[in-house]
Amino acid sequence: MMKAGGQQQHRRKIQAETSLLLLLFLLSCSRISVAFNSSSMRRSQSHRQKLKGIQHDSRFMTPINSQSILESPDQVLAAWTFAFASSHIGLSSTRSNIIRSLGETANSLNLVGNEEWVLPSWWPGDNTGGNKIFPDVLTAGRQVYRVFYTAVSFLTLGSAFGAYFESSSVALDVSGAQQSTLLYNSCILSAALSFGAAIASLVNASPLGLMPSFEADDGTEMSGSVAGIRRDDTLKFAAKGLTRITRHPLILPVVPWGIATTILVGGRPCDAIFFGGLSIYSIAGCYFQDLRVIREEGSVGTVFQTESGGTKEGLGEDEQERTRLRSFFEQTSFIPFKAVFDGRQSFDDIIREAPWLQFFVGTIVGVYLEEKILQLLAEWSV
């Protein structure tokens, strides 16, 4: 028992150190990339003029060095798109260790348990900490982690978006003249249906996603109940509606949306890198989420632990969560409709439980959003 405990403690120490190194690496890469991208944008403004004067000069017939390896706008775009995808997957894969470290840091600063730091009264808190922002160590760690995760997302995705326009050397034609009417309408429909599925998944969340789940209060005095609504993320463990189709109903719709948008904006290399890259990221991100459940490593979703011997208070509750998560995983599929075709789920249950109203409204909104996105891309492109 002592030997096993020591090995487990040593393994967690290594994981924590690895997580810290990963964070330092990502921050260093981001800082270097910001500086390099800024200088690359300044160089690109006079790039054509310089080429006219140096194209016959032998001094410039030298091998590319490390400082100019990302001078191509498409390469800068690819680097930022990869930074966004890899940072998301990396932070998600190591988040249990990061959350634990951040929570302990917050506790050492006497931030945990502060009764004055609460969410607004109209905000439905969860069923553990209520409306307190830092009720315990792990919740504090998750709150700080979300802020950091969001900041990294804005930095990397925003920089990739800026690099996309820097790479767009030809003005966009989003009128559909470059595609046949059938192809154009099919892509608009595909993008709209993707929006519809993603919006509907907000009320039909998966335990592997970050969206919380709510239910009507049954009248009992429970923490976090506001206006007859109470948050209970354990409701997501039951396969229902969209999660009978795929266990990733929020993220996987990015795949058809990215492909459709790539075609609609012209199918240039920069389009494939950015929008196609987001499609690949969504597949990879969902795959690594599944891998954490299979290997029982770290945590997924909002609060659910996948490791045996979790760190939350109440080991029995942790074990119950892991059992229900494994049961959900076994009943559902990564590939859409695979669980239906192999008999684990049925079309009848999907038709009866799917949030059709939200899906139809989301699809209509999706048509507007996709056309608005194309319009804005055309206006902002060079």
Side-chain angles (χ1 to χ4, degrees):
M1 293 288 291
M2 292 295 293
K3 184 176 180 181
Q7 290 176 344
Q8 187 177 22
Q9 184 178 6
H10 179 67
R11 180 172 63 86
R12 288 180 176 174
K13 181 179 179 182
I14 293 176
Q15 289 177 339
E17 292 173 349
T18 303
S19 301
L20 179 60
L21 290 174
L22 176 62
L23 281 175
L24 292 175
F25 173 78
L26 288 174
L27 290 174
S28 299
C29 287
S30 297
R31 185 173 181 179
I32 293 172
S33 298
V34 168
F36 184 79
N37 192 29
S38 177
S39 62
S40 178
M41 289 176 66
R42 290 194 300 269
R43 287 196 302 269
S44 65
Q45 295 176 356
S46 58
H47 184 64
R48 292 186 180 130
Q49 289 80 359
K50 288 183 179 180
L51 285 177
K52 292 180 180 178
I54 66 175
Q55 59 184 353
H56 298 299
D57 193 335
S58 60
R59 291 179 300 164
F60 293 90
M61 301 300 291
T62 56
I64 297 177
N65 56 39
S66 59
Q67 293 182 343
S68 61
I69 194 169
L70 292 181
E71 257 188 58
S72 166
D74 284 350
Q75 290 177 340
V76 175
L77 171 61
W80 274 117
T81 305
F82 179 77
F84 167 74
S86 60
S87 62
H88 264 232
I89 294 173
L91 288 173
S92 297
S93 298
T94 58
R95 74 174 192 167
S96 60
N97 293 321
I98 299 173
I99 288 172
R100 189 181 304 116
S101 299
L102 292 174
E104 292 172 352
T105 301
N107 189 40
S108 66
L109 297 175
N110 297 322
L111 302 179
V112 177
N114 192 319
E115 299 291 337
E116 298 180 355
W117 293 7
V118 295
L119 295 167
S121 58
W122 48 265
W123 184 268
D126 58 27
N127 51 8
T128 56
N131 281 29
K132 295 180 182 178
I133 296 178
F134 293 155
D136 53 58
V137 172
L138 280 183
T139 302
R142 283 195 295 270
Q143 304 286 41
V144 178
Y145 170 82
R146 286 165 184 160
V147 173
F148 177 73
Y149 188 89
T150 302
V152 172
S153 299
F154 273 102
L155 170 65
T156 53
L157 185 58
S159 297
F161 199 58
Y164 170 76
F165 288 112
E166 186 69 20
S167 184
S168 301
S169 58
V170 179
L172 295 181
D173 179 9
V174 296
S175 63
Q178 297 180 352
Q179 302 94 16
S180 66
T181 302
L182 177 61
L183 178 59
Y184 179 82
N185 291 334
S186 297
C187 289
I188 289 291
L189 178 61
S190 177
L193 291 173
S194 300
F195 274 110
I199 292 173
S201 72
L202 300 180
V203 297
N204 191 174
S206 166
L208 277 70
L210 295 177
M211 276 302 300
S213 183
F214 300 94
E215 68 175 352
D217 192 1
D218 56 6
T220 59
E221 294 291 332
M222 297 194 68
S223 176
S225 178
V226 176
I229 299 176
R230 180 172 63 88
R231 175 177 172 178
D232 186 359
D233 290 341
T234 61
L235 296 173
K236 299 189 291 183
F237 285 127
K240 179 182 178 182
L242 296 179
T243 55
R244 295 184 186 274
I245 299 174
T246 174
R247 63 178 74 103
H248 302 283
L250 177 62
I251 303 301
L252 281 185
V254 175
V255 177
W257 173 82
I259 296 173
T261 305
T262 298
I263 297 172
L264 288 170
V265 294
R268 301 164 302 169
C270 60
D271 303 325
I273 292 172
F274 185 60
F275 296 107
L278 293 179
S279 295
I280 295 173
Y281 150 72
S282 66
I283 296 174
C286 293
Y287 171 77
F288 281 105
Q289 259 192 340
D290 282 9
L291 206 58
R292 290 204 301 277
V293 177
I294 295 173
R295 295 179 176 178
E296 297 188 348
E297 297 175 347
S299 61
V300 295
T302 44
V303 297
F304 308 123
Q305 300 287 330
T306 63
E307 292 177 296
S308 298
T311 57
K312 287 197 312 182
E313 294 182 4
L315 183 59
E317 182 182 351
D318 275 352
E319 188 59 40
Q320 186 179 21
E321 281 187 358
R322 283 188 290 275
T323 300
R324 297 181 68 182
L325 183 60
R326 285 193 296 268
S327 176
F328 172 84
F329 191 88
E330 292 169 356
Q331 295 172 16
T332 57
S333 62
F334 175 91
I335 301 174
F337 294 104
K338 183 177 184 298
V340 176
F341 294 139
D342 62 22
R344 286 177 289 168
Q345 300 293 342
S346 70
F347 278 110
D348 292 339
D349 291 333
I350 295 173
I351 294 173
R352 185 178 66 254
E353 299 170 351
W356 292 111
L357 176 61
Q358 291 84 351
F359 175 73
F360 287 131
V361 172
T363 300
I364 295 173
V365 172
V367 174
Y368 170 79
L369 290 177
E370 184 66 13
E371 291 182 344
K372 193 66 176 178
I373 288 172
L374 296 176
Q375 178 185 344
L376 291 175
L377 289 177
E379 292 176 356
W380 294 345
S381 65
V382 178

